[in-house]
Amino acid sequence: MTKPNAVPMNDLKRLYQRYEVKIAREIARTLQSGWWLNGATGKRFAANFAKFAGVSDCILVANGTDALELALRSAVGLNDARGREVIMAANAGGYASCACWHNDLIPHYIDIEPASQLVSIQSVLDAVSTDTAAIVVTHLYGGAVDVRAIRAELINAGMSHIPVIEDCAQAHGARIRGEMAGSLGDIATFSFYPTKNLGAMGDGGAVLTSDSRLAERVRQLHQYGWSSKYHVSLPRGRNSRMDELQAAILDVLLPHLDSRNEQRRAILDRFKAATGRRLKFLDGGDGAVAHLAVLLCDDRDTFRTFMKERGIDTDVHYPVLDCDQPGWVDLPMKGTHNLAISRASIGRLCSVPCHPDMTNDEIVQVCKALGEWEAM
């Protein structure tokens, strides 16, 4: 039998090759400027990304985890929130949890919806209390959580003061009822890790908001807490900057984000058409951007072997809940006993390749393998 061609989870060389001429030109222009940090290129991309997302301010930082930490620190205040709770899902890779502990806050984990694996709005509302310092809503796998509904319920409950932080690291360009992820909460964070829907060729992140007070606080905190050069006015600042080369690359790719997201959605739709009985792909809503093609499978190990034999890479996003990580077991946390759906899902999740630089032959190869599994 002829060995099938390999279908990788991703192949970033293809992305570079598609936009090589434009990227090379912008990198050369940036290097020739002699200004490689905090320059005009970064300011231009920040302005363009803020406009794309529908907010007034975008502050570029070193990575998505820094973005979460700085956004959380800015939203809850610097001193009086220590020891209070932050409501979040436990299935999103640990990034919000890290940001929480780094700010001396306590993660309060809540459960998710089975069909989307996104946070359950009812679970958010059930967990809110006078101890709640903030809510982190993760738009996981490219799906979009209804942040407006959460905000409306908080207002009804007399809890409108609680800030809502959107973690959009997997949701660049995602929308819900026409509104863009990143514009729905009080403050939002993005990662530009290379495999994201909008990815750099290195690392980078951003904090977005339309609250001028929060924007100014993040601007200070991401550079040592300075109010002006060498003058510190806020404690617990840090050095977290995106370099100009990454901003140049992202500014080249940004105009193509919506069309590339459409390609992702079209690929996932083809996968869904080949499945439905034994394999259930997650549904992140009409405005989802298919950051990952994640399915639920009752016999994941056998399925992964089956796909590997057919030359198709798979992965698991994510194999361990935050609250079950061995290295974090002694850290403060709440809500660990109310995660029935999260725990039932964790052993069934599996991702298959889905990115806009896949060839049609590769898509057909994945569809065929999925169909063969369904027919068994």
Side-chain angles (χ1 to χ4, degrees):
M1 187 174 88
T2 304
K3 186 176 180 180
N5 294 325
V7 181
M9 280 297 295
N10 214 321
D11 185 353
L12 295 173
K13 294 190 300 295
R14 303 181 194 181
L15 170 68
Y16 175 69
Q17 289 163 358
R18 179 174 292 193
Y19 302 103
E20 180 176 2
V21 174
K22 291 181 180 178
I23 289 170
R25 183 175 62 239
E26 289 305 312
I27 286 177
R29 184 178 298 169
T30 301
L31 291 174
Q32 289 163 4
S33 76
W35 199 305
W36 304 332
L37 281 172
N38 298 335
T41 302
K43 290 181 175 65
R44 184 182 70 231
F45 170 65
N48 288 338
F49 193 59
K51 182 179 180 181
F52 173 83
V55 300
S56 62
D57 291 277
C58 171
I59 302 96
L60 303 181
V61 297
N63 55 68
T65 308
D66 278 5
L68 273 168
E69 185 175 337
L70 292 167
L72 191 55
R73 189 171 303 167
S74 298
V76 304
L78 298 169
N79 297 310
D80 59 354
R82 292 185 183 185
R84 295 180 67 202
E85 299 173 9
V86 179
I87 295 171
M88 66 182 70
N91 67 330
Y95 313 109
S97 293
C98 284
C100 199
W101 288 313
H102 291 167
N103 281 303
D104 298 323
L105 297 163
I106 299 172
H108 185 150
Y109 297 118
I110 56 173
D111 216 352
I112 56 177
E113 298 289 350
S116 66
Q117 299 287 293
L118 298 172
V119 66
S120 159
I121 293 175
Q122 188 59 52
S123 292
V124 172
L125 302 174
D126 290 344
V128 168
S129 74
T130 54
D131 289 329
T132 303
I135 299 165
V136 174
V137 173
T138 299
H139 300 300
L140 194 62
Y141 305 137
V145 178
D146 193 344
V147 178
R148 296 293 191 204
I150 293 174
R151 172 59 68 201
E153 291 296 337
L154 288 175
I155 292 171
N156 290 338
M159 296 285 189
S160 60
H161 62 282
I162 297 174
V164 178
I165 300 161
E166 292 181 80
D167 175 3
C168 307
Q170 299 186 3
H172 308 69
R175 294 168 172 84
I176 183 164
R177 289 190 294 277
E179 292 189 288
M180 190 76 75
S183 70
L184 306 170
D186 295 276
I187 194 166
T189 66
F190 285 82
S191 166
F192 301 113
Y193 184 79
T195 57
K196 302 300 185 183
N197 292 45
L198 180 62
M201 294 181 181
D203 219 334
V207 180
L208 276 66
T209 184
S210 289
D211 184 321
S212 59
R213 178 185 60 87
L214 291 179
E216 180 57 27
R217 192 173 287 179
V218 174
R219 284 195 177 93
Q220 290 182 247
L221 288 173
H222 92 112
Q223 186 150 285
Y224 310 112
W226 285 353
S227 54
S228 60
K229 192 172 183 180
Y230 304 136
H231 293 266
V232 175
S233 62
L234 288 180
R236 304 182 78 195
R238 65 189 308 161
N239 169 17
S240 182
R241 297 179 291 227
M242 180 192 292
D243 69 69
E244 293 288 279
L245 292 180
Q246 300 308 326
I249 292 165
L250 290 166
D251 210 40
V252 168
L253 298 177
L254 177 59
H256 306 280
L257 176 57
D258 279 338
S259 63
R260 288 175 66 80
N261 282 343
E262 286 295 335
Q263 290 174 273
R264 288 177 179 270
R265 280 190 284 261
I267 293 167
L268 183 54
D269 284 344
R270 291 174 68 176
F271 293 167
K272 288 180 177 179
T275 57
R277 185 177 64 89
R278 301 182 66 198
L279 302 171
K280 300 288 185 182
F281 278 95
L282 303 186
D283 183 0
D286 292 341
V289 291
H291 170 64
L292 292 166
V294 182
L295 54 82
L296 293 169
C297 177
D298 288 333
D299 193 356
R300 183 174 69 195
D301 290 345
T302 303
F303 173 73
R304 296 190 71 188
T305 300
F306 178 90
M307 297 297 278
K308 184 177 181 180
E309 289 170 349
R310 284 150 183 80
I312 299 165
D313 281 355
T314 59
D315 207 341
V316 178
H317 301 88
Y318 297 95
V320 184
L321 296 178
D322 295 9
C323 54
D324 295 334
Q325 291 285 4
W328 295 340
V329 68
D330 293 325
L331 295 177
M333 62 183 76
K334 289 187 66 176
T336 58
H337 301 299
N338 298 311
L339 303 173
I341 296 171
S342 301
R343 294 192 184 283
S345 302
I346 201 75
R348 303 174 63 218
L349 294 164
C350 188
S351 303
V352 299
C354 180
H355 60 89
D357 299 304
M358 290 180 75
T359 67
N360 186 63
D361 286 347
E362 288 174 331
I363 298 168
V364 169
Q365 187 173 335
V366 175
C367 287
K368 180 182 178 184
L370 294 172
E372 289 173 350
W373 177 267
E374 287 279 345
M376 288 173 57

